Amino acid sequence: MTSKVILITGASSGIGEATARRLAAEGHRVVMGARREDRLAATAKEIEAAGGSADVHRLDVTDRRDVAAFVDAAAERHGRVDVMIANAGVMPLSRLDALLVDEWDRMIDVNVRGLLHGIAAALPHFQRQGSGHFVTVASIGAHEVSPTAAVYCGTKYAAWAITEGLRQELDPGIRVTTVSPGVVESELAESISDPVARDTMRTYRANSIPPSSIADAIAYAIGRPPAEDVNEIIVRPARQR
């Protein structure tokens, strides 16, 4: 497989971290972005000790200039950018009548604006190259709505819709994939401050799959020949209905 320069947002834990490890093990050069730079550095050290290549960049996806700098720095260092994986996301669930408006705003800023910032930063590079690959990590919430998850599902449906619209608009030389995970072992549920939603999630998350399962799906989409475009993958626990 030809080595690619792959950027990953939200790479300090969970799906992002697992994806960085998986793709680096395949010989790709991964560039990891997240707010927790210490976690990134620790992961990069382990990747490099195993013979892989990893750069780290402190990144706030809600800051458009920060995301542009993240992408531009990778392009300057490596000469190109081949894949942009928009993985950063937050999930502070709550019922709408809890009126946790600040948490709604945070989900919109990270899950929607963060995705758009990544597209705006990477697309000019892809267009100049005549090639590239956008990968959006959405959620099963892009396909179904559950109590306490209305705003979260709304942001993930928006992520799905934006990514599908991008696919339709772009030249076929630029591939576009949406990966929608079901229940995955992660830190996302720890951000839930609402007690009702927190209790609901304990039951909902009783059956989960590891982040490596989603990393496998992303690696599959990236690894297909240029003439193939894997547009959408849903991966969830077999017991999740």
Side-chain angles (χ1 to χ4, degrees), residues 195-224:
V196 174
R198 193 163 54 243
D199 289 343
T200 300
M201 274 294 102
R202 288 195 183 99
T203 301
Y204 186 73
R205 300 179 71 84
N207 298 295
S208 62
I209 53 178
S212 59
S213 297
I214 310 305
D216 290 346
I218 293 171
Y220 170 78
I222 290 172
R224 302 311 298 157

PDB file of all heavy atoms in Angstrom, residues 195-224:
ATOM      1  N   PRO A 195     -28.216  14.119  34.872  1.00  0.00           N
ATOM      2  CA  PRO A 195     -28.356  12.816  35.538  1.00  0.00           C
ATOM      3  C   PRO A 195     -29.303  11.859  34.822  1.00  0.00           C
ATOM      4  O   PRO A 195     -29.072  10.648  34.819  1.00  0.00           O
ATOM      5  CB  PRO A 195     -28.871  13.177  36.932  1.00  0.00           C
ATOM      6  CG  PRO A 195     -29.440  14.554  36.805  1.00  0.00           C
ATOM      7  CD  PRO A 195     -28.638  15.231  35.745  1.00  0.00           C
ATOM      8  N   VAL A 196     -30.369  12.361  34.212  1.00  0.00           N
ATOM      9  CA  VAL A 196     -31.307  11.493  33.484  1.00  0.00           C
ATOM     10  C   VAL A 196     -30.611  10.845  32.295  1.00  0.00           C
ATOM     11  O   VAL A 196     -30.696   9.632  32.079  1.00  0.00           O
ATOM     12  CB  VAL A 196     -32.542  12.292  33.026  1.00  0.00           C
ATOM     13  CG1 VAL A 196     -33.441  11.420  32.152  1.00  0.00           C
ATOM     14  CG2 VAL A 196     -33.309  12.831  34.220  1.00  0.00           C
ATOM     15  N   ALA A 197     -29.908  11.655  31.523  1.00  0.00           N
ATOM     16  CA  ALA A 197     -29.205  11.125  30.352  1.00  0.00           C
ATOM     17  C   ALA A 197     -28.082  10.177  30.763  1.00  0.00           C
ATOM     18  O   ALA A 197     -27.838   9.168  30.107  1.00  0.00           O
ATOM     19  CB  ALA A 197     -28.642  12.278  29.532  1.00  0.00           C
ATOM     20  N   ARG A 198     -27.419  10.500  31.858  1.00  0.00           N
ATOM     21  CA  ARG A 198     -26.326   9.646  32.322  1.00  0.00           C
ATOM     22  C   ARG A 198     -26.839   8.254  32.695  1.00  0.00           C
ATOM     23  O   ARG A 198     -26.239   7.232  32.340  1.00  0.00           O
ATOM     24  CB  ARG A 198     -25.621  10.305  33.506  1.00  0.00           C
ATOM     25  CG  ARG A 198     -24.287   9.666  33.855  1.00  0.00           C
ATOM     26  CD  ARG A 198     -23.442  10.585  34.740  1.00  0.00           C
ATOM     27  NE  ARG A 198     -24.160  11.015  35.932  1.00  0.00           N
ATOM     28  CZ  ARG A 198     -24.463  12.278  36.200  1.00  0.00           C
ATOM     29  NH1 ARG A 198     -24.131  13.241  35.353  1.00  0.00           N
ATOM     30  NH2 ARG A 198     -25.101  12.597  37.307  1.00  0.00           N
ATOM     31  N   ASP A 199     -27.963   8.197  33.383  1.00  0.00           N
ATOM     32  CA  ASP A 199     -28.551   6.899  33.747  1.00  0.00           C
ATOM     33  C   ASP A 199     -29.020   6.134  32.512  1.00  0.00           C
ATOM     34  O   ASP A 199     -28.844   4.918  32.420  1.00  0.00           O
ATOM     35  CB  ASP A 199     -29.735   7.113  34.703  1.00  0.00           C
ATOM     36  CG  ASP A 199     -29.294   7.571  36.086  1.00  0.00           C
ATOM     37  OD1 ASP A 199     -28.096   7.405  36.403  1.00  0.00           O
ATOM     38  OD2 ASP A 199     -30.138   8.093  36.833  1.00  0.00           O
ATOM     39  N   THR A 200     -29.609   6.845  31.562  1.00  0.00           N
ATOM     40  CA  THR A 200     -30.063   6.208  30.331  1.00  0.00           C
ATOM     41  C   THR A 200     -28.896   5.590  29.577  1.00  0.00           C
ATOM     42  O   THR A 200     -28.983   4.476  29.050  1.00  0.00           O
ATOM     43  CB  THR A 200     -30.777   7.230  29.427  1.00  0.00           C
ATOM     44  OG1 THR A 200     -31.898   7.767  30.126  1.00  0.00           O
ATOM     45  CG2 THR A 200     -31.235   6.592  28.129  1.00  0.00           C
ATOM     46  N   MET A 201     -27.781   6.295  29.560  1.00  0.00           N
ATOM     47  CA  MET A 201     -26.618   5.823  28.819  1.00  0.00           C
ATOM     48  C   MET A 201     -26.005   4.570  29.439  1.00  0.00           C
ATOM     49  O   MET A 201     -25.421   3.746  28.731  1.00  0.00           O
ATOM     50  CB  MET A 201     -25.554   6.919  28.734  1.00  0.00           C
ATOM     51  CG  MET A 201     -25.743   7.869  27.592  1.00  0.00           C
ATOM     52  SD  MET A 201     -25.539   7.108  25.951  1.00  0.00           S
ATOM     53  CE  MET A 201     -27.262   6.903  25.466  1.00  0.00           C
ATOM     54  N   ARG A 202     -26.117   4.412  30.742  1.00  0.00           N
ATOM     55  CA  ARG A 202     -25.561   3.207  31.377  1.00  0.00           C
ATOM     56  C   ARG A 202     -26.203   1.944  30.793  1.00  0.00           C
ATOM     57  O   ARG A 202     -25.539   0.940  30.540  1.00  0.00           O
ATOM     58  CB  ARG A 202     -25.774   3.262  32.887  1.00  0.00           C
ATOM     59  CG  ARG A 202     -24.907   4.269  33.610  1.00  0.00           C
ATOM     60  CD  ARG A 202     -24.906   4.021  35.120  1.00  0.00           C
ATOM     61  NE  ARG A 202     -24.139   5.031  35.822  1.00  0.00           N
ATOM     62  CZ  ARG A 202     -24.681   6.085  36.437  1.00  0.00           C
ATOM     63  NH1 ARG A 202     -26.002   6.235  36.442  1.00  0.00           N
ATOM     64  NH2 ARG A 202     -23.922   6.968  37.055  1.00  0.00           N
ATOM     65  N   THR A 203     -27.510   2.010  30.580  1.00  0.00           N
ATOM     66  CA  THR A 203     -28.218   0.874  29.983  1.00  0.00           C
ATOM     67  C   THR A 203     -27.922   0.760  28.497  1.00  0.00           C
ATOM     68  O   THR A 203     -27.632  -0.328  27.975  1.00  0.00           O
ATOM     69  CB  THR A 203     -29.739   1.024  30.190  1.00  0.00           C
ATOM     70  OG1 THR A 203     -30.016   1.106  31.588  1.00  0.00           O
ATOM     71  CG2 THR A 203     -30.478  -0.148  29.578  1.00  0.00           C
ATOM     72  N   TYR A 204     -27.960   1.890  27.807  1.00  0.00           N
ATOM     73  CA  TYR A 204     -27.762   1.899  26.356  1.00  0.00           C
ATOM     74  C   TYR A 204     -26.385   1.384  25.969  1.00  0.00           C
ATOM     75  O   TYR A 204     -26.216   0.714  24.938  1.00  0.00           O
ATOM     76  CB  TYR A 204     -27.954   3.323  25.834  1.00  0.00           C
ATOM     77  CG  TYR A 204     -27.922   3.457  24.328  1.00  0.00           C
ATOM     78  CD1 TYR A 204     -28.980   3.005  23.547  1.00  0.00           C
ATOM     79  CD2 TYR A 204     -26.832   4.044  23.695  1.00  0.00           C
ATOM     80  CE1 TYR A 204     -28.960   3.143  22.160  1.00  0.00           C
ATOM     81  CE2 TYR A 204     -26.799   4.182  22.312  1.00  0.00           C
ATOM     82  CZ  TYR A 204     -27.870   3.725  21.561  1.00  0.00           C
ATOM     83  OH  TYR A 204     -27.843   3.853  20.184  1.00  0.00           O
ATOM     84  N   ARG A 205     -25.378   1.684  26.810  1.00  0.00           N
ATOM     85  CA  ARG A 205     -24.008   1.325  26.488  1.00  0.00           C
ATOM     86  C   ARG A 205     -23.589  -0.014  27.115  1.00  0.00           C
ATOM     87  O   ARG A 205     -22.398  -0.309  27.203  1.00  0.00           O
ATOM     88  CB  ARG A 205     -23.066   2.441  26.930  1.00  0.00           C
ATOM     89  CG  ARG A 205     -23.348   3.782  26.268  1.00  0.00           C
ATOM     90  CD  ARG A 205     -22.405   4.866  26.761  1.00  0.00           C
ATOM     91  NE  ARG A 205     -21.063   4.654  26.259  1.00  0.00           N
ATOM     92  CZ  ARG A 205     -20.630   5.044  25.064  1.00  0.00           C
ATOM     93  NH1 ARG A 205     -21.451   5.668  24.242  1.00  0.00           N
ATOM     94  NH2 ARG A 205     -19.399   4.827  24.678  1.00  0.00           N
ATOM     95  N   ALA A 206     -24.555  -0.828  27.498  1.00  0.00           N
ATOM     96  CA  ALA A 206     -24.224  -2.122  28.108  1.00  0.00           C
ATOM     97  C   ALA A 206     -23.461  -3.024  27.149  1.00  0.00           C
ATOM     98  O   ALA A 206     -22.609  -3.824  27.556  1.00  0.00           O
ATOM     99  CB  ALA A 206     -25.494  -2.818  28.573  1.00  0.00           C
ATOM    100  N   ASN A 207     -23.763  -2.923  25.854  1.00  0.00           N
ATOM    101  CA  ASN A 207     -23.060  -3.685  24.825  1.00  0.00           C
ATOM    102  C   ASN A 207     -22.314  -2.709  23.926  1.00  0.00           C
ATOM    103  O   ASN A 207     -22.915  -1.804  23.340  1.00  0.00           O
ATOM    104  CB  ASN A 207     -24.053  -4.498  23.981  1.00  0.00           C
ATOM    105  CG  ASN A 207     -24.802  -5.516  24.816  1.00  0.00           C
ATOM    106  OD1 ASN A 207     -24.209  -6.445  25.346  1.00  0.00           O
ATOM    107  ND2 ASN A 207     -26.113  -5.332  24.944  1.00  0.00           N
ATOM    108  N   SER A 208     -21.011  -2.883  23.842  1.00  0.00           N
ATOM    109  CA  SER A 208     -20.204  -1.960  23.053  1.00  0.00           C
ATOM    110  C   SER A 208     -19.098  -2.711  22.329  1.00  0.00           C
ATOM    111  O   SER A 208     -18.802  -3.870  22.639  1.00  0.00           O
ATOM    112  CB  SER A 208     -19.597  -0.873  23.952  1.00  0.00           C
ATOM    113  OG  SER A 208     -18.741  -1.456  24.922  1.00  0.00           O
ATOM    114  N   ILE A 209     -18.501  -2.043  21.356  1.00  0.00           N
ATOM    115  CA  ILE A 209     -17.363  -2.591  20.627  1.00  0.00           C
ATOM    116  C   ILE A 209     -16.158  -1.683  20.856  1.00  0.00           C
ATOM    117  O   ILE A 209     -16.316  -0.510  21.194  1.00  0.00           O
ATOM    118  CB  ILE A 209     -17.672  -2.720  19.123  1.00  0.00           C
ATOM    119  CG1 ILE A 209     -18.163  -1.376  18.546  1.00  0.00           C
ATOM    120  CG2 ILE A 209     -18.680  -3.822  18.873  1.00  0.00           C
ATOM    121  CD1 ILE A 209     -18.432  -1.406  17.053  1.00  0.00           C
ATOM    122  N   PRO A 210     -14.950  -2.180  20.666  1.00  0.00           N
ATOM    123  CA  PRO A 210     -13.759  -1.352  20.911  1.00  0.00           C
ATOM    124  C   PRO A 210     -13.537  -0.338  19.794  1.00  0.00           C
ATOM    125  O   PRO A 210     -14.009  -0.535  18.657  1.00  0.00           O
ATOM    126  CB  PRO A 210     -12.623  -2.382  20.945  1.00  0.00           C
ATOM    127  CG  PRO A 210     -13.111  -3.502  20.096  1.00  0.00           C
ATOM    128  CD  PRO A 210     -14.595  -3.568  20.328  1.00  0.00           C
ATOM    129  N   PRO A 211     -12.821   0.745  20.076  1.00  0.00           N
ATOM    130  CA  PRO A 211     -12.521   1.735  19.036  1.00  0.00           C
ATOM    131  C   PRO A 211     -11.792   1.136  17.839  1.00  0.00           C
ATOM    132  O   PRO A 211     -11.915   1.646  16.726  1.00  0.00           O
ATOM    133  CB  PRO A 211     -11.649   2.759  19.768  1.00  0.00           C
ATOM    134  CG  PRO A 211     -11.955   2.593  21.210  1.00  0.00           C
ATOM    135  CD  PRO A 211     -12.289   1.147  21.394  1.00  0.00           C
ATOM    136  N   SER A 212     -11.049   0.071  18.066  1.00  0.00           N
ATOM    137  CA  SER A 212     -10.318  -0.557  16.960  1.00  0.00           C
ATOM    138  C   SER A 212     -11.250  -1.067  15.873  1.00  0.00           C
ATOM    139  O   SER A 212     -10.860  -1.165  14.701  1.00  0.00           O
ATOM    140  CB  SER A 212      -9.449  -1.701  17.483  1.00  0.00           C
ATOM    141  OG  SER A 212     -10.244  -2.675  18.139  1.00  0.00           O
ATOM    142  N   SER A 213     -12.501  -1.386  16.229  1.00  0.00           N
ATOM    143  CA  SER A 213     -13.463  -1.826  15.218  1.00  0.00           C
ATOM    144  C   SER A 213     -13.747  -0.717  14.211  1.00  0.00           C
ATOM    145  O   SER A 213     -13.895  -0.966  13.008  1.00  0.00           O
ATOM    146  CB  SER A 213     -14.770  -2.262  15.881  1.00  0.00           C
ATOM    147  OG  SER A 213     -14.573  -3.369  16.730  1.00  0.00           O
ATOM    148  N   ILE A 214     -13.832   0.513  14.693  1.00  0.00           N
ATOM    149  CA  ILE A 214     -14.072   1.647  13.802  1.00  0.00           C
ATOM    150  C   ILE A 214     -12.794   1.984  13.032  1.00  0.00           C
ATOM    151  O   ILE A 214     -12.845   2.339  11.850  1.00  0.00           O
ATOM    152  CB  ILE A 214     -14.566   2.870  14.588  1.00  0.00           C
ATOM    153  CG1 ILE A 214     -15.726   2.468  15.514  1.00  0.00           C
ATOM    154  CG2 ILE A 214     -14.997   3.979  13.634  1.00  0.00           C
ATOM    155  CD1 ILE A 214     -16.887   1.778  14.813  1.00  0.00           C
ATOM    156  N   ALA A 215     -11.650   1.850  13.691  1.00  0.00           N
ATOM    157  CA  ALA A 215     -10.378   2.058  13.004  1.00  0.00           C
ATOM    158  C   ALA A 215     -10.236   1.096  11.835  1.00  0.00           C
ATOM    159  O   ALA A 215      -9.738   1.461  10.761  1.00  0.00           O
ATOM    160  CB  ALA A 215      -9.218   1.896  13.980  1.00  0.00           C
ATOM    161  N   ASP A 216     -10.688  -0.140  12.021  1.00  0.00           N
ATOM    162  CA  ASP A 216     -10.638  -1.129  10.941  1.00  0.00           C
ATOM    163  C   ASP A 216     -11.477  -0.667   9.751  1.00  0.00           C
ATOM    164  O   ASP A 216     -11.069  -0.812   8.593  1.00  0.00           O
ATOM    165  CB  ASP A 216     -11.164  -2.479  11.428  1.00  0.00           C
ATOM    166  CG  ASP A 216     -10.242  -3.160  12.426  1.00  0.00           C
ATOM    167  OD1 ASP A 216      -9.071  -2.737  12.546  1.00  0.00           O
ATOM    168  OD2 ASP A 216     -10.704  -4.104  13.101  1.00  0.00           O
ATOM    169  N   ALA A 217     -12.666  -0.130  10.038  1.00  0.00           N
ATOM    170  CA  ALA A 217     -13.549   0.328   8.963  1.00  0.00           C
ATOM    171  C   ALA A 217     -12.929   1.496   8.208  1.00  0.00           C
ATOM    172  O   ALA A 217     -12.997   1.567   6.972  1.00  0.00           O
ATOM    173  CB  ALA A 217     -14.908   0.726   9.538  1.00  0.00           C
ATOM    174  N   ILE A 218     -12.331   2.416   8.940  1.00  0.00           N
ATOM    175  CA  ILE A 218     -11.681   3.566   8.305  1.00  0.00           C
ATOM    176  C   ILE A 218     -10.509   3.108   7.452  1.00  0.00           C
ATOM    177  O   ILE A 218     -10.327   3.566   6.308  1.00  0.00           O
ATOM    178  CB  ILE A 218     -11.234   4.581   9.376  1.00  0.00           C
ATOM    179  CG1 ILE A 218     -12.458   5.202  10.054  1.00  0.00           C
ATOM    180  CG2 ILE A 218     -10.348   5.663   8.759  1.00  0.00           C
ATOM    181  CD1 ILE A 218     -12.122   6.055  11.265  1.00  0.00           C
ATOM    182  N   ALA A 219      -9.715   2.189   7.978  1.00  0.00           N
ATOM    183  CA  ALA A 219      -8.569   1.664   7.225  1.00  0.00           C
ATOM    184  C   ALA A 219      -9.034   0.985   5.941  1.00  0.00           C
ATOM    185  O   ALA A 219      -8.382   1.099   4.891  1.00  0.00           O
ATOM    186  CB  ALA A 219      -7.769   0.698   8.088  1.00  0.00           C
ATOM    187  N   TYR A 220     -10.142   0.278   6.015  1.00  0.00           N
ATOM    188  CA  TYR A 220     -10.689  -0.378   4.832  1.00  0.00           C
ATOM    189  C   TYR A 220     -11.038   0.646   3.756  1.00  0.00           C
ATOM    190  O   TYR A 220     -10.667   0.493   2.580  1.00  0.00           O
ATOM    191  CB  TYR A 220     -11.928  -1.196   5.197  1.00  0.00           C
ATOM    192  CG  TYR A 220     -12.682  -1.717   4.001  1.00  0.00           C
ATOM    193  CD1 TYR A 220     -12.237  -2.834   3.301  1.00  0.00           C
ATOM    194  CD2 TYR A 220     -13.836  -1.070   3.555  1.00  0.00           C
ATOM    195  CE1 TYR A 220     -12.915  -3.299   2.184  1.00  0.00           C
ATOM    196  CE2 TYR A 220     -14.527  -1.535   2.435  1.00  0.00           C
ATOM    197  CZ  TYR A 220     -14.068  -2.645   1.765  1.00  0.00           C
ATOM    198  OH  TYR A 220     -14.740  -3.099   0.653  1.00  0.00           O
ATOM    199  N   ALA A 221     -11.759   1.691   4.136  1.00  0.00           N
ATOM    200  CA  ALA A 221     -12.179   2.699   3.160  1.00  0.00           C
ATOM    201  C   ALA A 221     -10.980   3.390   2.531  1.00  0.00           C
ATOM    202  O   ALA A 221     -10.939   3.615   1.311  1.00  0.00           O
ATOM    203  CB  ALA A 221     -13.096   3.719   3.827  1.00  0.00           C
ATOM    204  N   ILE A 222      -9.990   3.722   3.355  1.00  0.00           N
ATOM    205  CA  ILE A 222      -8.810   4.411   2.853  1.00  0.00           C
ATOM    206  C   ILE A 222      -7.993   3.509   1.937  1.00  0.00           C
ATOM    207  O   ILE A 222      -7.396   3.968   0.958  1.00  0.00           O
ATOM    208  CB  ILE A 222      -7.947   4.898   4.037  1.00  0.00           C
ATOM    209  CG1 ILE A 222      -8.657   6.047   4.765  1.00  0.00           C
ATOM    210  CG2 ILE A 222      -6.563   5.348   3.573  1.00  0.00           C
ATOM    211  CD1 ILE A 222      -7.983   6.454   6.057  1.00  0.00           C
ATOM    212  N   GLY A 223      -7.993   2.227   2.233  1.00  0.00           N
ATOM    213  CA  GLY A 223      -7.138   1.300   1.511  1.00  0.00           C
ATOM    214  C   GLY A 223      -7.678   0.807   0.189  1.00  0.00           C
ATOM    215  O   GLY A 223      -6.981   0.077  -0.528  1.00  0.00           O
ATOM    216  N   ARG A 224      -8.898   1.175  -0.180  1.00  0.00           N
ATOM    217  CA  ARG A 224      -9.453   0.713  -1.457  1.00  0.00           C
ATOM    218  C   ARG A 224      -8.742   1.391  -2.621  1.00  0.00           C
ATOM    219  O   ARG A 224      -8.199   2.490  -2.483  1.00  0.00           O
ATOM    220  CB  ARG A 224     -10.960   1.000  -1.524  1.00  0.00           C
ATOM    221  CG  ARG A 224     -11.798   0.385  -0.414  1.00  0.00           C
ATOM    222  CD  ARG A 224     -11.496  -1.085  -0.217  1.00  0.00           C
ATOM    223  NE  ARG A 224     -11.801  -1.857  -1.422  1.00  0.00           N
ATOM    224  CZ  ARG A 224     -11.259  -3.047  -1.709  1.00  0.00           C
ATOM    225  NH1 ARG A 224     -10.357  -3.574  -0.901  1.00  0.00           N
ATOM    226  NH2 ARG A 224     -11.606  -3.683  -2.812  1.00  0.00           N
TER     227      ARG A 224
END
